[in-house]
Amino acid sequence: MKFSENCLLLVSAASACAFSISEQISLSCNCKDSEAATAKPTVNKSFLDSYFGNFLDGVAEDFMSMTKDKHEPLPLADHYRALAVHDEYEYPDPNDLRDINGSAVLYRGGEFGYIDTFAHLPLVSCFDPDLYEEEPFDIAIIGAPFDSGVSYRPGARFGPSGIRLGSRRLAPAYSVYNEKLNPYKNWARIVDCGSPPVTPLDNRIAIDQIYRANRAAGKHAVTEENKSKHPKIFTLGGDHTITLPAIKAAYENWGKVSVIHFDSHLDTWNPYYFGGNVTDYQSLNHGTYLHWAHEKGLLTDTSIHAAIRGPYPGKRDVEHDISCGFDRILARDIDRIGTDGIIRKIKERVGNGPVYITVDVDSMDPSVAPASGTVEPGGWTSRELLTILDGLEGLNVIGGDVVEVSPPFDTAAEITSIVAAQVADSIISLMVLQGESSIGEN
């Protein structure tokens, strides 16, 4: 087979079994052999037009008039065209925007569309008192961009943005561990409230802003299927100080809560020994907020830590921790009693009352979550933590958070942000399952 000098050469691996090498690379050529010379294509389309169809309709004439010196692509003979084009894609009407506005998922690519809300949830206005009744929802996601309470690594003010980016692949889908659970297509209306503009200049103002934002979201009406009177709030931190204003807001709707605290550190430290001996202003930080939560009457005496392994700065830290109403599960207990034993111990401790779950990503090992505010080796894997969280099904989870994600210290693969997003997904799922159970009982 001979080819003209102006042949368009293309490679088609699909034709390897049917044609010779020379025929494989010639898909659109002015062939001089007798067979090609006598071939009469039934559809006179170029290779470009065959692939992109009517997307280019109406532009060829204008384009050619502007490029008079350029040659139009040669038409593709049917028997070659069949090798290169394997389907006839039917373009939607230009006014059909379902895949653009999100009302229908027609193609993959939803991970990259819209703005970066958590798990592509709708963004709503949660902080406008005029909308408390007009904008009902059952679960709200709120960002708390604050890191002025840290004692080691800063950067958690970027945590809410990082976690939202880490949640890009979360979407309405069924869990492989609970095939009946699709948390984002269930009874609950779940929304993203965005992040309030928290000041980085004064901790007193910032903490109050986070409290008022959570409080405002908790004042919204709920949907008709919801048997509770108030929405449940999940907060994206932020350093761990943000748990205090979140619990204070939750207390106003649910009363005293039992806290399940996943962390490598106690965070109930006496403020005098952790910042407060310098100034009163420094006495509220990411190592003392649980002390203050108990001191102010927001907690029951049935709270519990899990994954503890950080050193105790003082001899009386455990004694003080017990006085704050906490029990402890150490990180290495998982080697002795396993995840089932940890789940059982947590459930027995907190009982049936309102539960708030807070997860510091440093509860996991730095190999799993390197971008935390205060890293401690020897932590749990993400699988172990997620197994324990999922095992808490049945508890009355009324709120929660994931904190201490510092994207500037994360890997290029966004490991910590992605893991944190999955932690959030598990806790949100517990809220959905608990509400589903309540609906089934009525």
Side-chain angles (χ1 to χ4, degrees), residues 145-163:
F146 172 87
D147 64 4
S148 302
V150 297
S151 57
Y152 190 52
R153 286 177 176 173
R157 66 184 62 184
F158 304 108
S161 298
I163 298 169

Side-chain angles (χ1 to χ4, degrees), residues 45 47-57 81 85 87-100 106-107:
K45 286 187 177 182
F47 181 79
L48 186 69
D49 288 333
S50 296
Y51 261 99
F52 289 96
N54 63 1
F55 172 70
L56 296 175
D57 285 355
R81 177 174 172 271
V85 182
D87 61 8
E88 292 290 346
Y89 174 66
E90 184 177 348
Y91 282 81
D93 185 279
N95 293 319
D96 183 354
L97 300 176
R98 289 173 298 162
D99 56 320
I100 305 300
L106 304 181
Y107 320 99

Side-chain angles (χ1 to χ4, degrees), residues 145-433:
F146 172 87
D147 64 4
S148 302
V150 297
S151 57
Y152 190 52
R153 286 177 176 173
R157 66 184 62 184
F158 304 108
S161 298
I163 298 169
R164 286 184 172 109
L165 289 174
S167 73
R168 281 172 293 193
R169 294 191 67 247
L170 292 178
Y174 290 91
S175 168
V176 299
Y177 302 108
N178 184 346
E179 296 178 3
K180 296 181 179 180
L181 175 63
N182 183 346
Y184 305 108
K185 290 286 186 181
N186 212 293
W187 67 269
R189 185 182 184 224
I190 311 177
V191 302
D192 193 328
C193 297
S195 302
V198 176
T199 180
L201 302 177
D202 191 314
N203 288 8
R204 297 168 301 177
I205 297 172
I207 291 170
D208 182 62
Q209 287 178 312
I210 296 167
Y211 156 68
R212 286 185 289 120
N214 281 53
R215 181 177 182 271
K219 285 185 170 294
H220 276 256
V222 296
T223 63
E224 291 183 0
E225 288 190 274
N226 195 342
K227 302 306 176 184
S228 300
K229 296 180 180 180
H230 309 286
K232 298 179 178 182
I233 313 300
F234 189 89
T235 308
L236 309 175
D239 77 49
H240 223 149
T241 314
I242 67 95
T243 299
L244 179 59
I247 288 177
K248 181 182 177 183
Y251 170 83
E252 294 184 13
N253 285 337
W254 307 96
K256 288 187 176 184
V257 299
S258 297
V259 171
I260 303 173
H261 174 231
F262 292 91
D263 201 310
S264 62
H265 309 97
L266 295 177
D267 293 358
T268 55
W269 285 315
N270 187 323
Y272 179 80
Y273 299 106
F274 201 86
N277 61 329
V278 181
T279 67
D280 289 339
Y281 180 80
Q282 294 187 29
S283 68
L284 176 54
N285 55 61
H286 75 159
T288 64
Y289 63 93
L290 286 177
H291 162 91
W292 288 116
H294 188 268
E295 186 84 0
K296 297 302 179 181
L298 306 178
L299 308 184
T300 67
D301 287 323
T302 57
S303 296
I304 190 168
H305 307 289
I308 297 296
R309 64 190 183 281
Y312 303 141
K315 293 181 179 179
R316 296 184 176 179
D317 287 348
V318 173
E319 179 183 339
H320 182 74
D321 185 63
I322 293 172
S323 72
C324 289
F326 280 84
D327 195 3
R328 291 158 309 290
I329 297 172
L330 305 184
R332 295 184 186 180
D333 287 348
I334 200 169
D335 302 321
R336 181 172 54 87
I337 62 175
T339 56
D340 287 342
I342 291 173
I343 292 167
R344 183 166 55 253
K345 187 171 183 179
I346 292 174
K347 285 187 169 183
E348 290 173 354
R349 175 68 178 177
V350 300
N352 299 321
V355 170
Y356 186 99
I357 301 178
T358 176
V359 177
D360 187 329
V361 292
D362 75 8
S363 57
M364 293 174 281
D365 193 76
S367 62
V368 175
S372 66
T374 314
V375 294
E376 298 286 355
W380 292 344
T381 66
S382 57
R383 185 186 70 249
E384 289 167 339
L385 176 60
L386 293 170
T387 296
I388 293 167
L389 286 172
D390 292 348
L392 300 179
E393 180 181 347
L395 295 181
N396 181 21
V397 181
I398 56 85
D401 60 56
V402 59
V403 298
E404 297 283 351
V405 176
S406 180
F409 291 94
D410 212 352
T411 67
E414 304 174 300
I415 295 175
T416 313
S417 294
I418 293 171
V419 169
Q422 197 65 55
V423 166
D425 177 82
S426 284
I427 298 175
I428 292 166
S429 295
L430 293 177
M431 297 178 183
V432 172
L433 286 166

